[in-house]
Amino acid sequence: MTLWTRLYEHNDYRGRSTFASLSSSPASNTYLQIDKSWLDAQNLHDRISSLEFGASSFEKGGHLILFQHAGYKGRYARFAATPGAAVSRPNLTAQSFNDITSSVLLVRKHTREMPPMALGGMGTPTLRDQIAAEVAATPNISMRGTPVISWDMWPSFASSQKFVYVAIPVVVDVPNWFDYDAEIRLWIYLYVDAAGKVRGHVSHYGAWVEGGILTGKLLDRLMSEIPGAIGSINARIASALSLVSAFTFVGLYYLPGTVAATGNTNDDVSLVLVKEW
């Protein structure tokens, strides 16, 4: 085994338990998914109270991440292991994570990886502010809050892919009628190209409009207007990623939130880039 964890039902490593490991074959494997259905099968959904986690001596290290909700979303608690060492937590009270875990990830660290970078804060102005400015320039649309930058890991519409997810809260101005709250949703795909450079683009999009007489009409309008802004948003993504253009990479992966050990997946998403040399 290389990265491994044992999760327990009760404090002090008592009660039911389940074991999982992320093997070194192939070494490029980054994630092991322990989803809600797995925890349900072990009768451990919302019942994990203590844990052990470790990495073999030939590993770079790794992360064990507990999530409040299914699909690796909501509040999270992240634990780090160093090569050849194990982490033991006889109770999860300090992380306020007793009996609330609905999904889990084991995440491998890689040789030559850069420190995690919170995507929302990349660039000047930040990527979050650039996306907000682009959307706010759309006629009859105004912001009603700060864009939420998160992740959407292996969603049902693209179950083999991992996305940066952006939810943009807006107000749609309806002349001679009530304004409607709405939300524009973007799924951004990042990758390393053949030249070793990080690229990204809006891969999917969607929208939500609050209920009312004009909901369907306004939703159709938003869905027809979003494609016109995607080119500009892609340019802003490229601008933010230019901060790492001096390097070449062999891969990338994500961690939830910022670099904090605890938080919420809606805080941000952190990008980890693996350098070629």
Side-chain angles (χ1 to χ4, degrees):
M1 60 187 175
T2 56
L3 296 180
W4 61 271
T5 187
R6 185 171 289 278
L7 307 169
Y8 296 87
E9 179 183 12
H10 299 313
N11 290 344
D12 300 317
Y13 322 112
R14 295 178 294 113
R16 296 183 185 88
S17 69
T18 188
F19 179 86
S21 64
L22 178 59
S23 72
S24 59
S25 180
S28 59
N29 281 349
T30 298
Y31 298 101
L32 176 71
Q33 304 171 51
I34 303 174
D35 60 17
K36 180 179 177 295
S37 62
W38 171 272
L39 295 178
D40 280 336
Q42 310 301 314
N43 205 14
L44 285 171
H45 174 233
D46 283 348
R47 293 186 177 184
I48 295 170
S49 297
S50 57
L51 61 84
E52 297 172 302
F53 168 51
S56 299
S57 57
F58 51 83
E59 286 284 344
K60 176 72 174 177
H63 308 272
L64 170 68
I65 313 173
L66 311 182
F67 296 89
Q68 178 186 11
H69 299 313
Y72 320 104
K73 296 176 181 178
R75 288 178 48 219
Y76 70 85
R78 179 167 56 88
F79 306 88
T82 55
V87 173
S88 297
R89 292 292 183 272
N91 67 76
L92 298 173
T93 303
Q95 294 79 23
S96 300
F97 241 81
N98 187 53
D99 288 346
I100 68 167
T101 298
S102 295
S103 53
V104 181
L105 286 178
L106 274 175
V107 187
R108 166 174 283 118
K109 295 184 70 174
H110 295 275
T111 303
R112 297 183 301 278
E113 68 178 41
M114 296 178 68
M117 297 175 288
L119 269 172
M122 290 180 66
T124 306
T126 67
L127 179 60
R128 182 181 282 104
D129 288 344
Q130 290 192 59
I131 290 175
E134 189 64 42
V135 172
T138 305
N140 300 314
I141 295 290
S142 60
M143 300 296 297
R144 60 178 176 88
T146 303
V148 171
I149 296 184
S150 182
W151 71 5
D152 197 358
M153 305 289 275
W154 310 287
S156 58
F157 61 82
S159 59
S160 65
Q161 295 182 319
K162 302 168 287 294
F163 297 95
V164 175
Y165 174 70
V166 184
I168 308 163
V170 298
V171 174
V172 182
D173 176 33
V174 183
N176 304 313
W177 195 250
F178 301 102
D179 294 343
Y180 275 64
D181 286 349
E183 186 175 88
I184 295 170
R185 298 165 177 174
L186 307 175
W187 284 262
I188 298 172
Y189 182 67
L190 300 183
Y191 63 98
V192 175
D193 69 11
K197 301 302 180 182
V198 185
R199 309 295 184 195
H201 61 267
V202 176
S203 177
H204 300 76
Y205 62 89
W208 165 87
V209 177
E210 69 170 309
I213 296 174
L214 300 178
T215 297
K217 181 178 180 180
L218 294 177
L219 182 59
D220 289 344
R221 173 186 145 192
L222 279 179
M223 290 297 287
S224 67
E225 290 179 348
I226 292 172
I230 285 178
S232 296
I233 292 173
N234 287 343
R236 293 175 185 267
I237 294 169
S239 175
L241 294 176
S242 68
L243 294 175
V244 295
S245 61
F247 303 97
T248 54
F249 302 97
V250 295
L252 61 82
Y253 68 93
Y254 303 120
L255 291 173
T258 62
V259 295
T262 59
N264 193 295
T265 55
N266 284 342
D267 294 339
D268 210 321
V269 58
S270 291
L271 174 66
V272 183
L273 298 169
V274 183
K275 291 192 289 187
E276 187 173 21
W277 60 77

